[in-house]
Amino acid sequence: MASPGRMDPELPEYRNYVVSRPVYNEPSFLEQYERQLRERQTVREKLVKCCSCSRRRTIRMLKSLLPILEWLPKYRVKEWLLSDTISGISTGLVATLQGMAYALLAAVPVGFGLYSAFFPILTYFFFGTSRHISVGPFPVVSLMVGSVVLSMAPDEQFVVLSPNGTVDNITGVDSDARDAERVLIASTLTVLVGIIQLILGCLQIGFIVRYLADPLVGGFTTAAAFQVFVSQLKIVLNVSTKNYNGVLSIIYTLVEIFEKIGTTNIADFVAGLLTIIICMAVKEINDRFKHKIPVPIPIEVIVTIIATAISYGVDLEKKYNAGIVKSIPRGFLPPAPPSVNMFSQMVTASFSIAVVAYAIAVSVGKVYATKYDYAIDGNQEFIAFGISNIFSGFFSCFVATTALSRTAVQESTGGKTQVAGIISALIVLIAIVALGKLLEPLQKSVLAAVVIANLKGMFMQVCDVPRLWRQNKIDAVIWVFTCVASIILGLDLGLLAGLLFGLLTVVLRVQFPSWNDLGNIPGTDLYKSTKDYKNVDVPEGVKIVSFYSPIFYGNIDGFKKCLKSTVGFDAVRVYNKRLKALRKIQKLIKKGQLRATKNGIISDACATNQGFEPDEDPEDPEDLNIPTKEIEIQVDWNSELPVKVNVPKVPIHSLILDFGAVSFLDIVAVRSLRRIVKEFQRIDVNVYFASLKDHVIAKLDQCGFYEDNIVMDMFFLTVHDAVLYIQSQVKTQNVQDPILEKINLIQEYKDPLELMDREENEDGLDVQDEAMRRLAS
């Protein structure tokens, strides 16, 4: 059997189909197929339905709020418990080390990174909908937290002066007071981030992450990786620098690092460099042989144990002045309330962190949900992380989300559910209670090197730019702009700038959309672009324009320009030129130099024809009162005229607007479309609409689009319906020239002009209203 994407050459009956049906416009279609009316609920009915309670509804709401009630009863103990246990132990070892390492990014003592790797898991286990993500610190979010912490508690606020109290005699920094203040700031920020996430989740605003497009996130995380690298580079080199924040802070930090590179601590540099090389090499082995290695080699844990042993045995701190972790608190600190007074200083940064943390978690969660065929609830994830961060903030933690590398370890080692996450939390708990003292000799440069080694995946996103450029240049520009802006302006302002730039590109793409001049594929009811396809037939005297965008106040001018470009003339200019020619013809008829007959306008052979006077000559204001008979004359506007007025040729008699891709119209667009239809109608070009969606037709009706000459009969179900209708109308008309305009020189010419004047005053159709009134009088 042939695949769905290909047709079997042995089944020719599937190559063709024949449909016989009438030509439908909207009224004829509705006459045969009645539209079903939708019942709209009142606000009161919606509230009653929303507030109603039943046993089934209550259970469903509980399962939605506590997803554990949905999946835990279905947990397969015999099949999944062993896999979850192995996965939890592996993930817990990595989480322990990463928690300590990412604490350096958050500008808090490393021991508080262990708390941040433990507490968030406890609440996410109950409220989260992803089965595979590993909840805890993430470098990008940790760096954003550290940026706020350093800006609110810089070292300069905690300098210790000499006994004489002069600034010139600074003896150092009160690290205990500084660290306590920074922990308070980080935990307060975490609570505020959790509150924002919880509010957004309760308001069902999970869709906000959709505005963080993949190119934007890619550029932002790459810039964040660069920021992380620079922040950890000074730790690897053990070079002290000022804590810069804001615009160009990363540049200032790099400059100062290179200025002080001569003070590099060799022991820390060698340890950090070896750690980076070894970790990256082993990670590459894990990736290449992941199908052969049952469990990834926990190289970070191995390197940390070896580095700690070497540091302790050689006594690197005393002999080489190496920077070590020193003190790690054992056990837990009692819960402490956040400092609410700080909320006003960090609310802007908190919102950015809340959205970024959520976006990262949902993006990673969706990858594994798709892989294992289950769904995650975006709004519930907002609630889950909000509760987790509020809870964790009371225990001196910094903001939690998920880490890509840690989640990959949890999934690749056989993790099936969040039971693996709970087991990993138990491993972190053991480290907090029992291993704190053992890790005190560990060099900070090793932890910083572990962070740098885990940035490889984010740096490799740079390779996406050439692919994006080939596929969509605008997405590539968004990626580069967001990356550069985040590096120069900082992560919070850079994210905002990237988001605004991305929205600007959407606005520009809608404001300057594409359109096509369509033609018929011979023998079919298909219509394709005349620019893109060969052997496309364009119906004689018909222009078909397809517009690929909503039409609203921002792009209506672009729509008018595309219309003029496609049809090849300006309907308003054509009308004004014809009006000017008619005035000259009338004047010459009154002078007796032209005679009007039913067969056209005839020049008087006995009189000098001055009809070809220069177009710019002033008209004779004198009324000669020459009597003229009220007869019907014919003017063929595409032939040579007896007056020297350059009237543009109009080679079409019908215009079809294919609005199949128009998703909505606003009131400005509706009014403009009505003016456009009138402008074409008064130069004898009929306008038809094709393929409009029902809600767009309803919007036209609501906005008062229809008038005497603008009726529902102009709307057709397809372009082909409109073309067939036009062709049948042309055949039945007993005229020689479809562009032929018949006017009554006095009555039938006068009254329509006065009517048109009134319409133009309402809609702004013509700029020569006063001239028309003078002519009509």
Side-chain angles (χ1 to χ4, degrees):
M1 184 175 179
S3 63
R6 299 179 61 184
M7 292 185 293
D8 192 338
E10 297 181 0
L11 300 174
E13 64 271 16
Y14 286 101
R15 291 177 175 267
N16 302 283
Y17 70 91
V18 177
V19 176
S20 178
R21 66 169 177 83
V23 172
Y24 284 124
N25 60 11
E26 284 294 329
S28 63
F29 182 80
L30 292 176
E31 183 179 348
Q32 185 171 353
Y33 301 99
E34 184 178 358
R35 181 177 290 147
Q36 180 178 347
L37 296 178
R38 298 183 182 180
E39 294 184 3
R40 298 187 179 276
Q41 292 181 330
T42 63
V43 176
R44 183 177 180 276
E45 290 173 341
K46 291 180 180 179
L47 288 175
V48 170
K49 183 178 179 180
C50 181
C51 298
S52 63
C53 185
S54 64
R55 183 174 180 274
R56 179 179 297 180
R57 182 180 176 85
T58 303
I59 293 175
R60 186 168 65 248
M61 290 180 62
L62 282 175
K63 287 184 177 181
S64 176
L65 182 62
L66 292 169
I68 189 174
L69 299 178
E70 178 70 29
W71 63 264
L72 190 60
K74 303 176 183 177
Y75 188 79
R76 305 173 188 172
V77 177
K78 294 182 179 180
E79 298 178 30
W80 292 351
L81 184 59
L82 179 60
S83 298
D84 280 341
T85 302
I86 296 173
S87 174
I89 294 172
S90 303
T91 307
L93 294 174
V94 176
T96 299
L97 184 60
Q98 287 188 353
M100 296 171 62
Y102 296 156
L104 299 177
L105 296 174
V108 296
V110 294
F112 292 88
L114 294 176
Y115 299 158
S116 301
F118 172 74
F119 283 104
I121 300 174
L122 304 181
T123 47
Y124 188 86
F125 178 76
F126 295 96
F127 295 97
T129 58
S130 175
R131 303 175 190 171
H132 293 89
I133 65 172
S134 175
V135 179
F138 181 65
V140 173
V141 176
S142 300
L143 184 65
M144 296 178 75
V145 172
S147 177
V148 177
V149 170
L150 293 176
S151 65
M152 295 180 64
D155 288 341
E156 290 77 8
Q157 291 185 4
F158 304 94
V159 291
V160 179
L161 303 179
S162 63
N164 59 17
T166 61
V167 179
D168 295 332
N169 294 302
I170 297 175
T171 59
V173 174
D174 187 351
S175 59
D176 292 338
R178 180 199 63 187
D179 291 345
E181 182 68 11
R182 289 181 175 178
V183 169
L184 178 62
I185 294 171
S187 59
T188 300
L189 178 65
T190 301
V191 172
L192 183 55
V193 167
I195 292 172
I196 293 173
Q197 290 178 327
L198 184 60
I199 292 173
L200 294 177
C202 292
L203 295 177
Q204 303 289 292
I205 309 183
F207 66 85
I208 194 173
V209 73
R210 298 173 189 170
Y211 292 97
L212 300 179
D214 289 346
L216 186 148
V217 173
F220 174 75
T221 52
T222 303
F226 182 71
Q227 296 259 23
V228 170
F229 173 78
V230 173
S231 68
Q232 299 306 290
L233 179 62
K234 63 182 182 181
I235 298 176
V236 171
L237 300 176
N238 198 356
V239 173
S240 61
T241 64
K242 296 179 181 178
N243 295 319
Y244 297 100
N245 287 288
V247 178
L248 297 177
S249 60
I250 197 70
I251 306 300
Y252 296 143
T253 302
L254 274 175
V255 170
E256 188 171 358
I257 288 175
F258 284 109
E259 286 177 349
K260 296 182 177 181
I261 199 158
T263 63
T264 299
N265 185 291
I266 300 300
D268 284 329
F269 174 69
V270 171
L273 184 61
L274 287 175
T275 300
I276 293 172
I277 294 173
I278 294 171
C279 286
M280 293 186 70
V282 176
K283 281 178 175 293
E284 186 67 23
I285 293 173
N286 285 338
D287 289 339
R288 290 195 177 187
F289 300 99
K290 58 184 176 181
H291 298 296
K292 297 182 179 180
I293 302 176
V295 178
I297 301 171
I299 187 59
E300 295 99 334
V301 178
I302 296 172
V303 167
T304 301
I305 295 173
I306 295 173
T308 302
I310 293 175
S311 176
Y312 177 78
V314 180
D315 199 1
L316 293 177
E317 182 188 14
K318 290 184 178 179
K319 291 185 178 180
Y320 299 99
N321 197 28
I324 63 171
V325 172
K326 292 185 179 178
S327 62
I328 297 179
R330 280 168 288 181
F332 295 100
L333 298 178
S339 178
V340 180
N341 296 331
M342 295 181 180
F343 279 1
S344 60
Q345 304 175 54
M346 56 179 62
V347 62
T348 303
S350 298
F351 187 83
S352 300
I353 295 172
V355 173
V356 171
Y358 168 78
I360 292 171
V362 170
S363 299
V364 176
K366 283 184 176 180
V367 170
Y368 292 102
T370 302
K371 182 176 180 179
Y372 291 97
D373 194 24
Y374 66 92
I376 64 171
D377 185 341
N379 292 309
Q380 181 61 26
E381 287 297 293
F382 247 142
I383 293 173
F385 278 101
I387 293 174
S388 294
N389 282 317
I390 292 173
F391 174 72
S392 303
F394 283 89
F395 291 92
S396 304
C397 300
F398 51 90
V399 180
T401 176
T402 185
L404 281 70
S405 59
R406 197 167 58 246
T407 299
V409 170
Q410 181 166 316
E411 184 269 339
S412 63
T413 52
K416 305 296 183 183
T417 65
Q418 283 300 326
V419 171
I422 286 294
I423 295 174
S424 71
L426 293 177
I427 301 299
V428 177
L429 176 62
I430 294 172
I432 293 173
V433 174
L435 300 180
K437 186 69 174 177
L438 298 177
L439 293 174
E440 289 181 355
L442 177 64
Q443 291 173 272
K444 290 183 179 180
S445 63
V446 173
L447 292 177
V450 169
V451 173
I452 293 174
N454 281 284
L455 297 177
K456 177 189 173 184
M458 286 189 280
F459 277 125
M460 291 302 293
Q461 293 178 116
V462 175
C463 301
D464 294 340
V465 177
R467 176 182 57 81
L468 283 174
W469 183 259
R470 291 191 301 268
Q471 295 175 348
N472 191 315
K473 291 180 173 57
I474 293 178
D475 286 343
V477 172
I478 291 174
W479 195 105
V480 174
F481 179 88
T482 306
C483 183
V484 174
S486 299
I487 291 174
I488 295 176
L489 302 178
L491 294 181
D492 48 357
L493 293 178
L495 177 63
L496 178 61
L499 179 60
L500 293 177
F501 182 76
L503 293 176
L504 177 63
T505 62
V506 174
V507 171
L508 292 177
R509 278 184 273 190
V510 174
Q511 189 168 353
F512 303 103
S514 59
W515 72 90
N516 273 318
D517 180 8
L518 302 184
N520 178 246
I521 304 296
T524 72
D525 60 350
L526 304 177
Y527 289 81
K528 293 292 184 179
S529 170
T530 56
K531 296 179 180 179
D532 299 331
Y533 290 87
K534 299 179 181 179
N535 302 323
V536 175
D537 290 341
V538 178
E540 184 179 357
V542 180
K543 274 289 184 182
I544 308 170
V545 182
S546 185
F547 197 71
Y548 306 114
S549 168
I551 305 178
F552 64 108
Y553 67 91
N555 67 359
I556 188 63
D557 289 336
F559 173 73
K560 292 177 182 177
K561 289 179 181 178
C562 90
L563 210 55
K564 292 176 186 178
S565 172
T566 304
V567 300
F569 57 85
D570 183 344
V572 174
R573 182 171 181 271
V574 170
Y575 175 72
N576 291 333
K577 286 291 187 179
R578 288 184 179 183
L579 183 61
K580 187 173 183 179
L582 287 172
R583 286 200 300 264
K584 287 183 175 290
I585 291 172
Q586 184 186 30
K587 183 178 70 173
L588 294 175
I589 290 175
K590 288 182 179 181
K591 290 180 179 180
Q593 296 172 354
L594 291 176
R595 288 189 297 112
T597 70
K598 291 185 177 181
N599 294 324
I601 300 171
I602 302 174
S603 176
D604 193 341
C606 299
T608 303
N609 184 3
Q610 297 178 359
F612 290 93
E613 60 187 3
D615 197 20
E616 64 274 5
D617 286 353
E619 297 183 7
D620 187 359
E622 181 182 2
D623 187 2
L624 299 179
N625 294 321
I626 300 176
T628 56
K629 297 176 66 177
E630 295 184 10
I631 59 174
E632 188 180 71
I633 66 171
Q634 295 180 342
V635 179
D636 186 353
W637 293 109
N638 287 331
S639 63
E640 184 177 354
L641 299 177
V643 291
K644 190 176 181 180
V645 178
N646 184 21
V647 180
K649 300 295 188 292
V650 179
I652 63 173
H653 54 75
S654 299
L655 172 65
I656 301 175
L657 299 178
D658 178 13
F659 278 7
V662 175
S663 58
F664 72 86
L665 301 168
D666 68 354
I667 185 66
V668 176
V670 173
R671 290 174 179 171
S672 299
L673 284 174
R674 186 172 60 217
R675 287 198 296 270
I676 290 169
V677 172
K678 290 181 179 180
E679 288 167 0
F680 278 98
Q681 283 180 342
R682 65 186 184 180
I683 62 171
D684 294 328
V685 175
N686 296 319
V687 180
Y688 302 93
F689 296 86
S691 306
L692 270 77
K693 304 295 187 290
D694 288 344
H695 69 276
V696 177
I697 296 176
K699 177 60 67 176
L700 291 172
D701 191 17
Q702 293 172 8
C703 297
F705 178 73
Y706 306 108
E707 291 185 356
D708 292 341
N709 294 325
I710 303 177
V711 295
M712 280 284 288
D713 291 348
M714 301 164 54
F715 293 80
F716 289 84
L717 265 63
T718 67
V719 173
H720 199 56
D721 285 317
V723 171
L724 293 177
Y725 173 81
I726 293 169
Q727 290 175 345
S728 66
Q729 290 295 106
V730 171
K731 290 180 181 179
T732 57
Q733 287 178 353
N734 187 22
V735 293
Q736 295 179 348
D737 189 347
I739 309 297
L740 208 59
E741 179 176 310
K742 295 185 177 182
I743 64 171
N744 183 292
L745 189 58
I746 296 176
Q747 290 295 330
E748 293 185 18
Y749 168 59
K750 177 179 178 181
D751 293 340
L753 288 180
E754 291 178 344
L755 175 61
M756 189 63 71
D757 283 341
R758 292 196 296 270
E759 292 175 346
E760 289 159 0
N761 287 332
E762 178 183 353
D763 293 328
L765 287 172
D766 190 15
V767 297
Q768 299 190 17
D769 297 343
E770 188 64 29
M772 291 174 62
R773 284 195 290 270
R774 289 200 303 268
L775 176 60
S777 61

